[in-house]
Amino acid sequence: MWFAMRHSIRHGIDEGLEDRLEAVHRYMKLWIPRRSIEFIGKELREHSGFGPDSDLLRIRAVNGQWIYRSRSAGDLPLPPPPENPSRHWQFETVSTSGNRYRVLTGQVKVGDQLYTIQVGTPIGEYEEVLGRFGWAVVFTLPLALLAASLGGYWMSRRALEPVDRITREARSISASNLSQRLSAPATGDELARLSETLNGMMERLETAFQKMTRFTADASHELRTPIAVMRTTAELALRRERSQQEYRDALGQILTELERTSKLIENMLVLVRADSGTGRLQLAPMDLARCFREASGQGRLLAEAKRIDYQSS
């Protein structure tokens, strides 16, 4: 803002000086062919209106003769007139006795003669205003930065509040409450889509967890019976002295249960692969009577160990 203000002031002053120099040039082209140099200088002194503290004007012929010098020019160390005609305009900022001036020097041609015209304007007030504005910026900038920081922090907290809420709700979900879902805002923005995506993910996790829990329960239930049969068979065989054939029969019964257990585990793994989508079930007919007879045999063995009368038909 400070540089823009300085550029605007400088640009306005320079444009005004160019307009004034052009006006003086037109005046000289109009009257120099008709009047003497002394008359033109007298007219400029009477009608220019330049005071001792106002804008300045100086006109000098190429031979060094001064045609006009305003009182405000005084002995200011103005820049020398450009000697190269190609340098038609030249802006300078000069200082003298605590005053600063913006000066435009131009070389113009009137008839067959070259003249140097210098116009200037005091810029002390402009620089004073610009300096006050600069100090105001320096003192207000920290306050503006502080206000911007506080406003940015407040806006960021408001913007991130839904994210914090989603984070808190996600942390509260564990294996004991997988059925809980995140509250999706009805805004239709990225946070709403994120909440819906996380809810879909938790729904899939809940389904997988339920399948795993079901498989664990089924495996425990299915393996309980053959393990109990093998344990009962071993305990009955060791309860008293038996013949070699009876020991062989007990070991054969245990081996049969181990084979049945191995097959049961393989079947359960097939079910797991089928549930996960990595395998396919091959359906085939089975003999239910045989399945019932095997279950009945296991039940009779467990009943005999507890001296329970067991009958099947």
PDB file of all heavy atoms in Angstrom, residues 215 218-231 233 252-270 294 298:
ATOM      1  N   PHE A 215     -17.504 -68.183  13.755  1.00  0.00           N
ATOM      2  CA  PHE A 215     -16.617 -69.305  13.461  1.00  0.00           C
ATOM      3  C   PHE A 215     -15.953 -69.829  14.725  1.00  0.00           C
ATOM      4  O   PHE A 215     -15.834 -71.040  14.938  1.00  0.00           O
ATOM      5  CB  PHE A 215     -15.549 -68.859  12.449  1.00  0.00           C
ATOM      6  CG  PHE A 215     -14.484 -69.885  12.232  1.00  0.00           C
ATOM      7  CD1 PHE A 215     -14.716 -70.991  11.419  1.00  0.00           C
ATOM      8  CD2 PHE A 215     -13.239 -69.773  12.847  1.00  0.00           C
ATOM      9  CE1 PHE A 215     -13.737 -71.945  11.223  1.00  0.00           C
ATOM     10  CE2 PHE A 215     -12.262 -70.724  12.646  1.00  0.00           C
ATOM     11  CZ  PHE A 215     -12.510 -71.815  11.836  1.00  0.00           C
ATOM     12  N   ASP A 218     -18.577 -71.749  16.672  1.00  0.00           N
ATOM     13  CA  ASP A 218     -18.873 -73.027  16.010  1.00  0.00           C
ATOM     14  C   ASP A 218     -17.718 -74.006  16.175  1.00  0.00           C
ATOM     15  O   ASP A 218     -17.932 -75.215  16.430  1.00  0.00           O
ATOM     16  CB  ASP A 218     -19.163 -72.797  14.522  1.00  0.00           C
ATOM     17  CG  ASP A 218     -20.449 -72.009  14.302  1.00  0.00           C
ATOM     18  OD1 ASP A 218     -21.273 -71.948  15.238  1.00  0.00           O
ATOM     19  OD2 ASP A 218     -20.630 -71.441  13.196  1.00  0.00           O
ATOM     20  N   ALA A 219     -16.476 -73.487  16.023  1.00  0.00           N
ATOM     21  CA  ALA A 219     -15.323 -74.380  16.169  1.00  0.00           C
ATOM     22  C   ALA A 219     -15.230 -74.922  17.591  1.00  0.00           C
ATOM     23  O   ALA A 219     -14.962 -76.114  17.809  1.00  0.00           O
ATOM     24  CB  ALA A 219     -14.046 -73.617  15.798  1.00  0.00           C
ATOM     25  N   SER A 220     -15.471 -74.055  18.578  1.00  0.00           N
ATOM     26  CA  SER A 220     -15.428 -74.533  19.977  1.00  0.00           C
ATOM     27  C   SER A 220     -16.504 -75.583  20.225  1.00  0.00           C
ATOM     28  O   SER A 220     -16.251 -76.595  20.906  1.00  0.00           O
ATOM     29  CB  SER A 220     -15.616 -73.336  20.911  1.00  0.00           C
ATOM     30  OG  SER A 220     -14.605 -72.380  20.709  1.00  0.00           O
ATOM     31  N   HIS A 221     -17.694 -75.338  19.675  1.00  0.00           N
ATOM     32  CA  HIS A 221     -18.780 -76.295  19.881  1.00  0.00           C
ATOM     33  C   HIS A 221     -18.496 -77.620  19.196  1.00  0.00           C
ATOM     34  O   HIS A 221     -18.727 -78.704  19.776  1.00  0.00           O
ATOM     35  CB  HIS A 221     -20.080 -75.687  19.350  1.00  0.00           C
ATOM     36  CG  HIS A 221     -21.237 -76.612  19.459  1.00  0.00           C
ATOM     37  ND1 HIS A 221     -21.858 -76.906  20.667  1.00  0.00           N
ATOM     38  CD2 HIS A 221     -21.896 -77.332  18.493  1.00  0.00           C
ATOM     39  CE1 HIS A 221     -22.838 -77.763  20.445  1.00  0.00           C
ATOM     40  NE2 HIS A 221     -22.893 -78.026  19.141  1.00  0.00           N
ATOM     41  N   GLU A 222     -18.002 -77.547  17.953  1.00  0.00           N
ATOM     42  CA  GLU A 222     -17.774 -78.783  17.206  1.00  0.00           C
ATOM     43  C   GLU A 222     -16.603 -79.582  17.756  1.00  0.00           C
ATOM     44  O   GLU A 222     -16.611 -80.813  17.711  1.00  0.00           O
ATOM     45  CB  GLU A 222     -17.519 -78.454  15.727  1.00  0.00           C
ATOM     46  CG  GLU A 222     -18.704 -77.856  15.006  1.00  0.00           C
ATOM     47  CD  GLU A 222     -19.863 -78.853  14.890  1.00  0.00           C
ATOM     48  OE1 GLU A 222     -19.592 -80.063  14.923  1.00  0.00           O
ATOM     49  OE2 GLU A 222     -21.011 -78.418  14.793  1.00  0.00           O
ATOM     50  N   LEU A 223     -15.571 -78.901  18.278  1.00  0.00           N
ATOM     51  CA  LEU A 223     -14.391 -79.616  18.760  1.00  0.00           C
ATOM     52  C   LEU A 223     -14.564 -80.110  20.185  1.00  0.00           C
ATOM     53  O   LEU A 223     -13.797 -80.980  20.633  1.00  0.00           O
ATOM     54  CB  LEU A 223     -13.165 -78.690  18.687  1.00  0.00           C
ATOM     55  CG  LEU A 223     -12.692 -78.310  17.283  1.00  0.00           C
ATOM     56  CD1 LEU A 223     -11.544 -77.325  17.369  1.00  0.00           C
ATOM     57  CD2 LEU A 223     -12.249 -79.543  16.502  1.00  0.00           C
ATOM     58  N   ARG A 224     -15.565 -79.576  20.901  1.00  0.00           N
ATOM     59  CA  ARG A 224     -15.751 -80.000  22.287  1.00  0.00           C
ATOM     60  C   ARG A 224     -16.078 -81.491  22.371  1.00  0.00           C
ATOM     61  O   ARG A 224     -15.548 -82.206  23.235  1.00  0.00           O
ATOM     62  CB  ARG A 224     -16.865 -79.162  22.930  1.00  0.00           C
ATOM     63  CG  ARG A 224     -17.028 -79.489  24.428  1.00  0.00           C
ATOM     64  CD  ARG A 224     -18.161 -78.697  25.054  1.00  0.00           C
ATOM     65  NE  ARG A 224     -17.916 -77.269  25.007  1.00  0.00           N
ATOM     66  CZ  ARG A 224     -18.601 -76.414  24.269  1.00  0.00           C
ATOM     67  NH1 ARG A 224     -19.612 -76.852  23.513  1.00  0.00           N
ATOM     68  NH2 ARG A 224     -18.318 -75.122  24.270  1.00  0.00           N
ATOM     69  N   THR A 225     -16.958 -81.991  21.514  1.00  0.00           N
ATOM     70  CA  THR A 225     -17.400 -83.395  21.593  1.00  0.00           C
ATOM     71  C   THR A 225     -16.274 -84.373  21.296  1.00  0.00           C
ATOM     72  O   THR A 225     -16.025 -85.302  22.093  1.00  0.00           O
ATOM     73  CB  THR A 225     -18.582 -83.622  20.642  1.00  0.00           C
ATOM     74  OG1 THR A 225     -19.661 -82.762  21.031  1.00  0.00           O
ATOM     75  CG2 THR A 225     -19.045 -85.073  20.705  1.00  0.00           C
ATOM     76  N   PRO A 226     -15.528 -84.264  20.161  1.00  0.00           N
ATOM     77  CA  PRO A 226     -14.467 -85.255  19.929  1.00  0.00           C
ATOM     78  C   PRO A 226     -13.362 -85.207  20.982  1.00  0.00           C
ATOM     79  O   PRO A 226     -12.816 -86.263  21.347  1.00  0.00           O
ATOM     80  CB  PRO A 226     -13.930 -84.883  18.545  1.00  0.00           C
ATOM     81  CG  PRO A 226     -14.405 -83.511  18.288  1.00  0.00           C
ATOM     82  CD  PRO A 226     -15.686 -83.366  19.007  1.00  0.00           C
ATOM     83  N   ILE A 227     -13.053 -84.025  21.472  1.00  0.00           N
ATOM     84  CA  ILE A 227     -12.027 -83.947  22.517  1.00  0.00           C
ATOM     85  C   ILE A 227     -12.524 -84.633  23.790  1.00  0.00           C
ATOM     86  O   ILE A 227     -11.766 -85.352  24.476  1.00  0.00           O
ATOM     87  CB  ILE A 227     -11.652 -82.475  22.771  1.00  0.00           C
ATOM     88  CG1 ILE A 227     -10.910 -81.901  21.559  1.00  0.00           C
ATOM     89  CG2 ILE A 227     -10.803 -82.352  24.034  1.00  0.00           C
ATOM     90  CD1 ILE A 227     -10.585 -80.437  21.675  1.00  0.00           C
ATOM     91  N   ALA A 228     -13.814 -84.395  24.125  1.00  0.00           N
ATOM     92  CA  ALA A 228     -14.375 -85.062  25.313  1.00  0.00           C
ATOM     93  C   ALA A 228     -14.380 -86.581  25.133  1.00  0.00           C
ATOM     94  O   ALA A 228     -14.121 -87.334  26.099  1.00  0.00           O
ATOM     95  CB  ALA A 228     -15.786 -84.544  25.570  1.00  0.00           C
ATOM     96  N   VAL A 229     -14.681 -87.074  23.909  1.00  0.00           N
ATOM     97  CA  VAL A 229     -14.683 -88.524  23.658  1.00  0.00           C
ATOM     98  C   VAL A 229     -13.293 -89.101  23.836  1.00  0.00           C
ATOM     99  O   VAL A 229     -13.108 -90.161  24.483  1.00  0.00           O
ATOM    100  CB  VAL A 229     -15.237 -88.809  22.249  1.00  0.00           C
ATOM    101  CG1 VAL A 229     -15.032 -90.278  21.875  1.00  0.00           C
ATOM    102  CG2 VAL A 229     -16.705 -88.456  22.172  1.00  0.00           C
ATOM    103  N   MET A 230     -12.284 -88.408  23.251  1.00  0.00           N
ATOM    104  CA  MET A 230     -10.912 -88.927  23.375  1.00  0.00           C
ATOM    105  C   MET A 230     -10.463 -88.927  24.832  1.00  0.00           C
ATOM    106  O   MET A 230      -9.802 -89.861  25.305  1.00  0.00           O
ATOM    107  CB  MET A 230      -9.960 -88.077  22.520  1.00  0.00           C
ATOM    108  CG  MET A 230     -10.115 -88.314  21.012  1.00  0.00           C
ATOM    109  SD  MET A 230      -8.913 -87.401  20.029  1.00  0.00           S
ATOM    110  CE  MET A 230      -9.575 -85.752  20.137  1.00  0.00           C
ATOM    111  N   ARG A 231     -10.816 -87.899  25.573  1.00  0.00           N
ATOM    112  CA  ARG A 231     -10.423 -87.837  26.974  1.00  0.00           C
ATOM    113  C   ARG A 231     -11.113 -88.930  27.782  1.00  0.00           C
ATOM    114  O   ARG A 231     -10.484 -89.597  28.631  1.00  0.00           O
ATOM    115  CB  ARG A 231     -10.772 -86.469  27.538  1.00  0.00           C
ATOM    116  CG  ARG A 231     -10.404 -86.331  29.011  1.00  0.00           C
ATOM    117  CD  ARG A 231     -10.727 -84.954  29.508  1.00  0.00           C
ATOM    118  NE  ARG A 231     -10.399 -84.808  30.906  1.00  0.00           N
ATOM    119  CZ  ARG A 231     -10.563 -83.695  31.599  1.00  0.00           C
ATOM    120  NH1 ARG A 231     -11.044 -82.604  30.992  1.00  0.00           N
ATOM    121  NH2 ARG A 231     -10.254 -83.641  32.881  1.00  0.00           N
ATOM    122  N   THR A 233     -12.294 -91.779  26.619  1.00  0.00           N
ATOM    123  CA  THR A 233     -11.753 -93.079  26.235  1.00  0.00           C
ATOM    124  C   THR A 233     -10.434 -93.351  26.952  1.00  0.00           C
ATOM    125  O   THR A 233     -10.184 -94.463  27.457  1.00  0.00           O
ATOM    126  CB  THR A 233     -11.563 -93.132  24.712  1.00  0.00           C
ATOM    127  OG1 THR A 233     -12.806 -92.875  24.064  1.00  0.00           O
ATOM    128  CG2 THR A 233     -11.023 -94.487  24.287  1.00  0.00           C
ATOM    129  N   GLY A 252      -7.577 -97.295  19.195  1.00  0.00           N
ATOM    130  CA  GLY A 252      -8.260 -97.203  17.903  1.00  0.00           C
ATOM    131  C   GLY A 252      -9.406 -96.196  17.931  1.00  0.00           C
ATOM    132  O   GLY A 252      -9.618 -95.447  16.966  1.00  0.00           O
ATOM    133  N   GLN A 253     -10.139 -96.202  19.082  1.00  0.00           N
ATOM    134  CA  GLN A 253     -11.220 -95.230  19.222  1.00  0.00           C
ATOM    135  C   GLN A 253     -10.676 -93.794  19.229  1.00  0.00           C
ATOM    136  O   GLN A 253     -11.234 -92.890  18.597  1.00  0.00           O
ATOM    137  CB  GLN A 253     -11.978 -95.510  20.523  1.00  0.00           C
ATOM    138  CG  GLN A 253     -13.146 -94.566  20.776  1.00  0.00           C
ATOM    139  CD  GLN A 253     -14.270 -94.773  19.770  1.00  0.00           C
ATOM    140  OE1 GLN A 253     -14.430 -95.866  19.206  1.00  0.00           O
ATOM    141  NE2 GLN A 253     -15.034 -93.697  19.521  1.00  0.00           N
ATOM    142  N   ILE A 254      -9.540 -93.604  19.941  1.00  0.00           N
ATOM    143  CA  ILE A 254      -8.929 -92.269  19.960  1.00  0.00           C
ATOM    144  C   ILE A 254      -8.454 -91.865  18.571  1.00  0.00           C
ATOM    145  O   ILE A 254      -8.625 -90.717  18.133  1.00  0.00           O
ATOM    146  CB  ILE A 254      -7.776 -92.238  20.976  1.00  0.00           C
ATOM    147  CG1 ILE A 254      -8.327 -92.423  22.410  1.00  0.00           C
ATOM    148  CG2 ILE A 254      -6.967 -90.941  20.884  1.00  0.00           C
ATOM    149  CD1 ILE A 254      -7.243 -92.556  23.466  1.00  0.00           C
ATOM    150  N   LEU A 255      -7.857 -92.803  17.848  1.00  0.00           N
ATOM    151  CA  LEU A 255      -7.388 -92.515  16.486  1.00  0.00           C
ATOM    152  C   LEU A 255      -8.553 -92.145  15.576  1.00  0.00           C
ATOM    153  O   LEU A 255      -8.453 -91.217  14.758  1.00  0.00           O
ATOM    154  CB  LEU A 255      -6.621 -93.722  15.947  1.00  0.00           C
ATOM    155  CG  LEU A 255      -6.053 -93.558  14.520  1.00  0.00           C
ATOM    156  CD1 LEU A 255      -5.087 -92.389  14.468  1.00  0.00           C
ATOM    157  CD2 LEU A 255      -5.378 -94.852  14.064  1.00  0.00           C
ATOM    158  N   THR A 256      -9.659 -92.892  15.746  1.00  0.00           N
ATOM    159  CA  THR A 256     -10.845 -92.575  14.924  1.00  0.00           C
ATOM    160  C   THR A 256     -11.342 -91.161  15.211  1.00  0.00           C
ATOM    161  O   THR A 256     -11.696 -90.399  14.301  1.00  0.00           O
ATOM    162  CB  THR A 256     -11.942 -93.600  15.209  1.00  0.00           C
ATOM    163  OG1 THR A 256     -11.462 -94.923  14.875  1.00  0.00           O
ATOM    164  CG2 THR A 256     -13.180 -93.299  14.388  1.00  0.00           C
ATOM    165  N   GLU A 257     -11.372 -90.783  16.492  1.00  0.00           N
ATOM    166  CA  GLU A 257     -11.816 -89.446  16.844  1.00  0.00           C
ATOM    167  C   GLU A 257     -10.845 -88.380  16.334  1.00  0.00           C
ATOM    168  O   GLU A 257     -11.264 -87.291  15.915  1.00  0.00           O
ATOM    169  CB  GLU A 257     -11.985 -89.326  18.360  1.00  0.00           C
ATOM    170  CG  GLU A 257     -13.105 -90.172  18.931  1.00  0.00           C
ATOM    171  CD  GLU A 257     -14.463 -89.779  18.362  1.00  0.00           C
ATOM    172  OE1 GLU A 257     -14.642 -88.577  18.010  1.00  0.00           O
ATOM    173  OE2 GLU A 257     -15.332 -90.653  18.255  1.00  0.00           O
ATOM    174  N   LEU A 258      -9.538 -88.703  16.354  1.00  0.00           N
ATOM    175  CA  LEU A 258      -8.558 -87.751  15.817  1.00  0.00           C
ATOM    176  C   LEU A 258      -8.757 -87.549  14.311  1.00  0.00           C
ATOM    177  O   LEU A 258      -8.664 -86.419  13.810  1.00  0.00           O
ATOM    178  CB  LEU A 258      -7.135 -88.248  16.092  1.00  0.00           C
ATOM    179  CG  LEU A 258      -6.633 -88.114  17.539  1.00  0.00           C
ATOM    180  CD1 LEU A 258      -5.275 -88.777  17.715  1.00  0.00           C
ATOM    181  CD2 LEU A 258      -6.567 -86.655  17.927  1.00  0.00           C
ATOM    182  N   GLU A 259      -9.012 -88.639  13.599  1.00  0.00           N
ATOM    183  CA  GLU A 259      -9.264 -88.499  12.169  1.00  0.00           C
ATOM    184  C   GLU A 259     -10.536 -87.690  11.909  1.00  0.00           C
ATOM    185  O   GLU A 259     -10.576 -86.843  11.005  1.00  0.00           O
ATOM    186  CB  GLU A 259      -9.370 -89.884  11.532  1.00  0.00           C
ATOM    187  CG  GLU A 259      -8.057 -90.652  11.528  1.00  0.00           C
ATOM    188  CD  GLU A 259      -8.226 -92.066  10.985  1.00  0.00           C
ATOM    189  OE1 GLU A 259      -9.407 -92.466  10.764  1.00  0.00           O
ATOM    190  OE2 GLU A 259      -7.210 -92.755  10.767  1.00  0.00           O
ATOM    191  N   ARG A 260     -11.580 -87.955  12.723  1.00  0.00           N
ATOM    192  CA  ARG A 260     -12.813 -87.204  12.567  1.00  0.00           C
ATOM    193  C   ARG A 260     -12.583 -85.721  12.898  1.00  0.00           C
ATOM    194  O   ARG A 260     -13.129 -84.819  12.213  1.00  0.00           O
ATOM    195  CB  ARG A 260     -13.893 -87.791  13.482  1.00  0.00           C
ATOM    196  CG  ARG A 260     -15.261 -87.125  13.296  1.00  0.00           C
ATOM    197  CD  ARG A 260     -16.299 -87.718  14.218  1.00  0.00           C
ATOM    198  NE  ARG A 260     -16.615 -89.090  13.847  1.00  0.00           N
ATOM    199  CZ  ARG A 260     -16.338 -90.158  14.580  1.00  0.00           C
ATOM    200  NH1 ARG A 260     -15.712 -90.003  15.746  1.00  0.00           N
ATOM    201  NH2 ARG A 260     -16.651 -91.363  14.172  1.00  0.00           N
ATOM    202  N   THR A 261     -11.741 -85.455  13.927  1.00  0.00           N
ATOM    203  CA  THR A 261     -11.441 -84.069  14.275  1.00  0.00           C
ATOM    204  C   THR A 261     -10.669 -83.361  13.162  1.00  0.00           C
ATOM    205  O   THR A 261     -10.943 -82.197  12.823  1.00  0.00           O
ATOM    206  CB  THR A 261     -10.639 -84.024  15.576  1.00  0.00           C
ATOM    207  OG1 THR A 261     -11.376 -84.685  16.615  1.00  0.00           O
ATOM    208  CG2 THR A 261     -10.357 -82.588  15.997  1.00  0.00           C
ATOM    209  N   SER A 262      -9.689 -84.058  12.582  1.00  0.00           N
ATOM    210  CA  SER A 262      -8.928 -83.477  11.472  1.00  0.00           C
ATOM    211  C   SER A 262      -9.837 -83.151  10.294  1.00  0.00           C
ATOM    212  O   SER A 262      -9.730 -82.072   9.677  1.00  0.00           O
ATOM    213  CB  SER A 262      -7.815 -84.432  11.036  1.00  0.00           C
ATOM    214  OG  SER A 262      -6.908 -84.677  12.085  1.00  0.00           O
ATOM    215  N   LYS A 263     -10.736 -84.072   9.985  1.00  0.00           N
ATOM    216  CA  LYS A 263     -11.673 -83.810   8.882  1.00  0.00           C
ATOM    217  C   LYS A 263     -12.602 -82.644   9.213  1.00  0.00           C
ATOM    218  O   LYS A 263     -12.926 -81.833   8.345  1.00  0.00           O
ATOM    219  CB  LYS A 263     -12.488 -85.076   8.609  1.00  0.00           C
ATOM    220  CG  LYS A 263     -13.379 -84.958   7.394  1.00  0.00           C
ATOM    221  CD  LYS A 263     -14.089 -86.275   7.111  1.00  0.00           C
ATOM    222  CE  LYS A 263     -14.962 -86.146   5.885  1.00  0.00           C
ATOM    223  NZ  LYS A 263     -15.680 -87.423   5.596  1.00  0.00           N
ATOM    224  N   LEU A 264     -13.002 -82.558  10.501  1.00  0.00           N
ATOM    225  CA  LEU A 264     -13.872 -81.461  10.911  1.00  0.00           C
ATOM    226  C   LEU A 264     -13.157 -80.119  10.749  1.00  0.00           C
ATOM    227  O   LEU A 264     -13.740 -79.129  10.261  1.00  0.00           O
ATOM    228  CB  LEU A 264     -14.295 -81.667  12.370  1.00  0.00           C
ATOM    229  CG  LEU A 264     -15.150 -80.554  12.993  1.00  0.00           C
ATOM    230  CD1 LEU A 264     -16.463 -80.406  12.257  1.00  0.00           C
ATOM    231  CD2 LEU A 264     -15.398 -80.864  14.463  1.00  0.00           C
ATOM    232  N   ILE A 265     -11.871 -80.081  11.154  1.00  0.00           N
ATOM    233  CA  ILE A 265     -11.105 -78.837  11.007  1.00  0.00           C
ATOM    234  C   ILE A 265     -10.959 -78.462   9.536  1.00  0.00           C
ATOM    235  O   ILE A 265     -11.085 -77.282   9.153  1.00  0.00           O
ATOM    236  CB  ILE A 265      -9.735 -78.984  11.689  1.00  0.00           C
ATOM    237  CG1 ILE A 265      -9.911 -79.129  13.209  1.00  0.00           C
ATOM    238  CG2 ILE A 265      -8.826 -77.794  11.365  1.00  0.00           C
ATOM    239  CD1 ILE A 265      -8.633 -79.432  13.953  1.00  0.00           C
ATOM    240  N   GLU A 266     -10.710 -79.440   8.683  1.00  0.00           N
ATOM    241  CA  GLU A 266     -10.591 -79.151   7.250  1.00  0.00           C
ATOM    242  C   GLU A 266     -11.899 -78.609   6.688  1.00  0.00           C
ATOM    243  O   GLU A 266     -11.904 -77.654   5.894  1.00  0.00           O
ATOM    244  CB  GLU A 266     -10.175 -80.419   6.497  1.00  0.00           C
ATOM    245  CG  GLU A 266      -8.751 -80.874   6.798  1.00  0.00           C
ATOM    246  CD  GLU A 266      -8.408 -82.162   6.075  1.00  0.00           C
ATOM    247  OE1 GLU A 266      -9.294 -82.671   5.357  1.00  0.00           O
ATOM    248  OE2 GLU A 266      -7.267 -82.657   6.215  1.00  0.00           O
ATOM    249  N   ASN A 267     -13.006 -79.201   7.122  1.00  0.00           N
ATOM    250  CA  ASN A 267     -14.305 -78.710   6.645  1.00  0.00           C
ATOM    251  C   ASN A 267     -14.581 -77.279   7.105  1.00  0.00           C
ATOM    252  O   ASN A 267     -15.130 -76.458   6.355  1.00  0.00           O
ATOM    253  CB  ASN A 267     -15.418 -79.633   7.125  1.00  0.00           C
ATOM    254  CG  ASN A 267     -15.361 -80.997   6.465  1.00  0.00           C
ATOM    255  OD1 ASN A 267     -14.815 -81.142   5.362  1.00  0.00           O
ATOM    256  ND2 ASN A 267     -15.894 -82.011   7.139  1.00  0.00           N
ATOM    257  N   MET A 268     -14.193 -76.968   8.334  1.00  0.00           N
ATOM    258  CA  MET A 268     -14.403 -75.619   8.837  1.00  0.00           C
ATOM    259  C   MET A 268     -13.532 -74.607   8.081  1.00  0.00           C
ATOM    260  O   MET A 268     -13.959 -73.475   7.791  1.00  0.00           O
ATOM    261  CB  MET A 268     -14.113 -75.562  10.334  1.00  0.00           C
ATOM    262  CG  MET A 268     -15.069 -76.423  11.161  1.00  0.00           C
ATOM    263  SD  MET A 268     -14.763 -76.314  12.923  1.00  0.00           S
ATOM    264  CE  MET A 268     -15.318 -74.659  13.246  1.00  0.00           C
ATOM    265  N   LEU A 269     -12.294 -75.006   7.737  1.00  0.00           N
ATOM    266  CA  LEU A 269     -11.443 -74.117   6.943  1.00  0.00           C
ATOM    267  C   LEU A 269     -12.028 -73.886   5.558  1.00  0.00           C
ATOM    268  O   LEU A 269     -11.922 -72.792   4.998  1.00  0.00           O
ATOM    269  CB  LEU A 269     -10.027 -74.701   6.844  1.00  0.00           C
ATOM    270  CG  LEU A 269      -9.216 -74.733   8.147  1.00  0.00           C
ATOM    271  CD1 LEU A 269      -7.860 -75.393   7.932  1.00  0.00           C
ATOM    272  CD2 LEU A 269      -9.033 -73.314   8.684  1.00  0.00           C
ATOM    273  N   VAL A 270     -12.663 -74.906   5.010  1.00  0.00           N
ATOM    274  CA  VAL A 270     -13.327 -74.733   3.712  1.00  0.00           C
ATOM    275  C   VAL A 270     -14.459 -73.717   3.830  1.00  0.00           C
ATOM    276  O   VAL A 270     -14.660 -72.863   2.955  1.00  0.00           O
ATOM    277  CB  VAL A 270     -13.836 -76.084   3.192  1.00  0.00           C
ATOM    278  CG1 VAL A 270     -14.744 -75.893   1.975  1.00  0.00           C
ATOM    279  CG2 VAL A 270     -12.667 -76.981   2.830  1.00  0.00           C
ATOM    280  N   GLU A 294     -22.805 -92.117  14.031  1.00  0.00           N
ATOM    281  CA  GLU A 294     -21.538 -91.663  14.610  1.00  0.00           C
ATOM    282  C   GLU A 294     -21.792 -90.787  15.840  1.00  0.00           C
ATOM    283  O   GLU A 294     -21.119 -90.919  16.867  1.00  0.00           O
ATOM    284  CB  GLU A 294     -20.740 -90.892  13.561  1.00  0.00           C
ATOM    285  CG  GLU A 294     -20.217 -91.773  12.424  1.00  0.00           C
ATOM    286  CD  GLU A 294     -19.475 -90.963  11.373  1.00  0.00           C
ATOM    287  OE1 GLU A 294     -19.450 -89.715  11.532  1.00  0.00           O
ATOM    288  OE2 GLU A 294     -18.927 -91.548  10.439  1.00  0.00           O
ATOM    289  N   GLN A 298     -20.734 -91.569  19.850  1.00  0.00           N
ATOM    290  CA  GLN A 298     -20.032 -90.650  20.741  1.00  0.00           C
ATOM    291  C   GLN A 298     -20.847 -90.397  22.012  1.00  0.00           C
ATOM    292  O   GLN A 298     -20.297 -90.339  23.114  1.00  0.00           O
ATOM    293  CB  GLN A 298     -19.757 -89.330  20.000  1.00  0.00           C
ATOM    294  CG  GLN A 298     -18.753 -89.435  18.860  1.00  0.00           C
ATOM    295  CD  GLN A 298     -18.604 -88.128  18.105  1.00  0.00           C
ATOM    296  OE1 GLN A 298     -19.469 -87.262  18.211  1.00  0.00           O
ATOM    297  NE2 GLN A 298     -17.519 -88.003  17.347  1.00  0.00           N
TER     298      GLN A 298
END
